[in-house]
Amino acid sequence: MNEFYQKDIISIKDFSKEQLEKIFTSTDKIMQLNPSDRREICKGKTLAYLFYEPSTRTRLSFDSAMASIGGNSLGISDTNSSSTQKGESLADTVRIMSIYSDVLVLRHTLDGSSRFAAEVSDKPVINAGSGTEEHPTQAIQDLFTIKKEKKKIDGLKIGIVGDLKYGRTVYSLLYGLGNYDVDVRLISPESLRIRSDSTYEIKQKLDYTESTNIEDHIDDLDVLYVTRIQKERFPDEEEYLKVKGSYVVGLDLLKQMKEDSIILHPLPRIDEISTDIDKTKNAKYFEQAEYGKHTRAALLGLTLNENGF
């Protein structure tokens, strides 16, 4: 039985370690299939995307993933050219998009939007980012990248640096890491520490320490996960300017890291990782983006096929 069939993907908290590992196994299978066999997985299926917020990697990753398994995509990437400009509600837009598709991928500025969409849609809904809450498929991609590049997740020392307050990728990653035995270091400016309303839940499953100084931890880390300080989520630009450029990972910092450590980033990158890092063996953020295509292809294949693939 395929437990993922017709399953909404709203929060990484809905997945157990065993379920995550099944997704990773399916992703490995996807990567090993020849192209003609891959294209049979979702042949004749349609993905609809509905993005109320700008995106490059996530939307194109879903689009590319669906094409690679034989399906097709349609949707709204710019709400300025849709009926939302006429005042159409999210509920009605979701219902209409569900009529045209087999699965709906939603990115929205408001917290709770994806869970609401799942309640009104009669097709499975995948959360591609809901406000400042979560980005579950990014977390699955991140965890798969760590496992693929480090051959394990349990036992690793993982540093997460940057905007931990507004970065929804951070929360999904922390919830996902709660399924594993890891040592997590959270590094951020004081004003960008993880939100207090989330700390209780995270601490139920995950031990972590908080710091403002990256150099206190850098030589001890197996994985450095860097996040962008998100200017667009600051209510006051003056507050953003105070923390802009707080951490920059360059070759000087890389020299202090373990030889086999890896550097990840959900992208887009602004100035928090120097381009000098890109050609080093430690930089894995472009591989991370590629793995995102494969993990999303696996998720779509599992969601849309009753007996899996």
Side-chain angles (χ1 to χ4, degrees):
M1 181 180 175
N2 172 22
E3 61 191 302
F4 300 100
Y5 180 60
Q6 296 295 298
K7 178 182 175 70
D8 296 313
I9 300 173
I10 305 302
S11 170
I12 196 71
K13 292 181 284 186
D14 298 332
F15 293 87
S16 66
K17 181 177 181 178
E18 291 71 26
Q19 289 173 319
L20 290 170
E21 293 294 329
K22 286 179 183 178
I23 294 169
F24 300 158
T25 299
S26 296
T27 303
D28 280 325
K29 182 178 178 180
I30 282 271
M31 293 171 67
Q32 292 163 13
L33 285 173
N34 65 59
S36 60
D37 288 337
R38 275 185 73 152
R39 286 192 290 269
E40 292 298 315
I41 294 174
C42 281
K43 187 176 181 179
K45 302 288 187 180
T46 299
L47 175 152
Y49 53 82
L50 180 55
F51 278 58
Y52 286 79
E53 197 175 61
S55 170
T56 302
R57 274 149 302 278
T58 300
R59 183 176 62 81
L60 294 180
S61 177
F62 270 109
D63 205 352
S64 178
M66 194 60 170
S68 76
I69 54 178
N72 59 81
S73 304
L74 55 84
I76 300 169
S77 59
D78 178 8
T79 54
N80 288 326
S81 60
S82 74
S83 289
T84 59
Q85 293 301 302
K86 302 174 184 177
E88 184 174 58
S89 68
L90 174 61
D92 282 0
T93 304
V94 165
R95 290 187 182 101
I96 293 299
M97 296 293 282
S98 296
I99 292 170
Y100 300 148
S101 64
D102 299 290
V103 60
L104 177 63
V105 178
L106 174 68
R107 170 170 286 194
H108 203 283
T109 56
L110 295 179
D111 293 1
S113 52
S114 288
R115 200 166 293 281
F116 171 74
E119 291 174 0
V120 300
S121 173
D122 60 359
K123 304 290 174 57
V125 171
I126 299 177
N127 177 6
S130 53
T132 59
E133 287 181 316
E134 278 202 66
H135 194 343
T137 64
Q138 177 71 47
I140 291 169
Q141 163 187 343
D142 295 341
L143 292 168
F144 181 79
T145 303
I146 293 170
K147 184 165 186 180
K148 203 72 177 169
E149 296 295 333
K150 297 299 295 181
K151 311 305 178 189
K152 63 177 184 177
I153 299 177
D154 285 317
L156 295 179
K157 295 178 180 178
I158 301 172
I160 305 176
V161 61
D163 183 353
L164 310 186
K165 181 177 182 180
Y166 297 113
R168 59 192 169 203
T169 61
V170 170
Y171 292 89
S172 285
L173 179 58
L174 288 172
Y175 293 135
L177 286 172
N179 290 292
Y180 297 87
D181 179 18
V182 290
D183 176 356
V184 175
R185 323 283 177 85
L186 301 181
I187 304 158
S188 70
E190 289 283 355
S191 62
L192 293 180
R193 289 190 171 198
I194 60 170
R195 300 190 298 270
S196 58
D197 61 332
S198 300
T199 54
Y200 176 79
E201 188 173 11
I202 292 169
K203 284 182 176 179
Q204 299 304 301
K205 298 182 68 178
L206 184 71
D207 289 325
Y208 63 84
T209 59
E210 294 184 88
S211 173
T212 59
N213 191 348
I214 192 171
E215 296 201 9
D216 289 345
H217 305 276
I218 197 68
D219 62 344
D220 201 29
L221 299 177
D222 300 297
V223 179
L224 178 63
Y225 188 95
V226 185
T227 68
R228 172 178 65 93
I229 294 181
Q230 300 180 74
K231 179 180 179 180
E232 70 274 16
R233 300 200 186 279
F234 278 73
D236 182 354
E237 186 173 356
E238 287 297 319
E239 293 302 311
Y240 165 74
L241 293 174
K242 289 178 184 178
V243 295
K244 178 186 177 183
S246 295
Y247 307 101
V248 177
V249 178
L251 293 177
D252 55 338
L253 202 62
L254 180 62
K255 290 175 183 176
Q256 302 175 51
M257 299 180 71
K258 293 179 181 179
E259 187 176 348
D260 63 346
S261 63
I262 62 172
I263 301 171
L264 303 181
H265 193 304
L267 302 177
R269 163 181 61 178
I270 306 302
D271 55 7
E272 57 276 0
I273 299 179
S274 167
T275 55
D276 294 337
I277 299 290
D278 293 357
K279 293 183 180 180
T280 69
K281 64 181 182 180
N282 311 84
K284 297 297 180 183
Y285 29 89
F286 293 119
E287 287 88 344
Q288 180 184 1
E290 184 174 0
Y291 288 139
K293 169 186 171 181
H294 301 307
T295 53
R296 290 183 174 105
L299 282 168
L300 290 167
L302 290 169
T303 301
L304 295 174
N305 288 283
E306 187 170 3
N307 297 315
F309 59 87

